[in-house]
Amino acid sequence: EPDAAPEVGPSAKAVASANAKRAAFHADLASGQWAALEKALDAARSPPSPCDAREIRAEVKRFLRLHGDAPGSAPFLLGFRALLEAQGGRTVSVAWQIDPATLTQSGGDAFMRDAVSLLSVSCVRRTDLETPLTTPPGDVSSAKSGREVTAPKESPVIHEDLPLNAKWLAFSPPRDLGDVDLYKLLVKLPDRKTLSFANPAGSIVADASLPGDPPRDVESIAFGGNECTPSLGKRRHVCCMLFIVAVVAALAIATR
């Protein structure tokens, strides 16, 4: 009988063993990431009352300095921007429901810690909106679509017993963070055109006010009321400053 041909390459048993080790490594890595996120969220503080808009702006600037150019940060920044845009000019609170994997898989441990720090300074965590990931976020609008859908007002079902990787995280801006301060934050964030290569993370709950919450104060922003966008506000601000400079120069010439 002819001799059997020698086996070429690794055996099926060796391949299965390597795959099992690889899967165990990734499982351990993911477990460590979720544990780190849970620790960071537990250690995070809530915004002071009254909120400190200057501290929030400083935290936004810090996050952008450290992670603004990282491609993985774009969905997070777009979702955060959508939250601030949705809150401006509304008498009700809005909320941002976000898959916690956005925090663990976008830029490493440093990104995760700094993103949690930003959210803890600028937002209130809404555990009443942290529903299971197995179901889509309840009556909400996509951060990308801009549709406005009111969330149901039934008594919230708390899912604190669910692990982090099985439920949405939810955040709302402080109710006393005014529209002018929201506008100032939006001016500091990259605009949608700059981040057009990515889609916003999560969804926006268009009405996330709790029963008994008083109406939120609405302010007129920039130089064009509540319809003025940050980019339009910048242009109007520059035009206004040029006009002032021209008037001052004309008066100076006239008084010579």
Side-chain angles (χ1 to χ4, degrees), residues 73-83 85 96-99 102 141-146 192 195-204:
S73 67
F76 174 82
L77 289 172
L78 283 171
F80 185 63
R81 181 181 185 87
L83 172 66
E85 289 174 340
W96 181 25
Q97 284 185 313
I98 178 175
D99 188 335
T102 302
S141 60
S142 164
K144 181 181 181 182
S145 69
R192 291 178 178 272
L195 302 177
S196 60
F197 59 88
N199 293 321
S203 299
I204 302 299

Side-chain angles (χ1 to χ4, degrees), residues 17-164:
S17 177
N19 289 338
K21 290 179 179 179
R22 188 180 298 110
F25 169 79
H26 288 294
D28 289 344
L29 180 62
S31 177
Q33 289 174 329
W34 290 117
L37 176 58
E38 187 165 15
K39 182 178 179 180
L41 288 169
D42 290 342
R45 61 180 179 85
S46 297
S49 182
C51 70
D52 188 343
R54 289 180 298 179
E55 182 183 13
I56 297 174
R57 289 197 296 273
E59 191 65 27
V60 168
K61 290 171 64 176
R62 174 179 175 273
F63 183 87
L64 292 175
R65 185 178 70 253
L66 295 174
H67 308 288
D69 295 331
S73 67
F76 174 82
L77 289 172
L78 283 171
F80 185 63
R81 181 181 185 87
L83 172 66
L84 302 182
E85 289 174 340
Q87 184 62 84
R90 295 176 186 263
T91 59
V92 298
S93 292
V94 302
W96 181 25
Q97 284 185 313
I98 178 175
D99 188 335
T102 302
L103 303 178
T104 61
Q105 300 176 10
S106 296
D109 290 345
F111 173 90
M112 179 199 67
R113 289 193 300 268
D114 292 335
V116 170
S117 177
L118 171 60
L119 290 172
S120 68
V121 169
S122 63
C123 296
V124 177
R125 187 173 172 186
R126 295 292 303 273
T127 55
D128 57 305
L129 297 174
E130 295 185 350
T131 53
L133 277 173
T134 51
T135 57
D139 294 332
V140 299
S141 60
S142 164
K144 181 181 181 182
S145 69
R147 292 184 300 108
E148 298 179 4
V149 184
T150 302
K153 288 296 183 181
E154 303 95 19
S155 299
V157 178
I158 308 300
H159 296 277
E160 293 181 349
D161 55 325
L162 288 175
L164 276 179

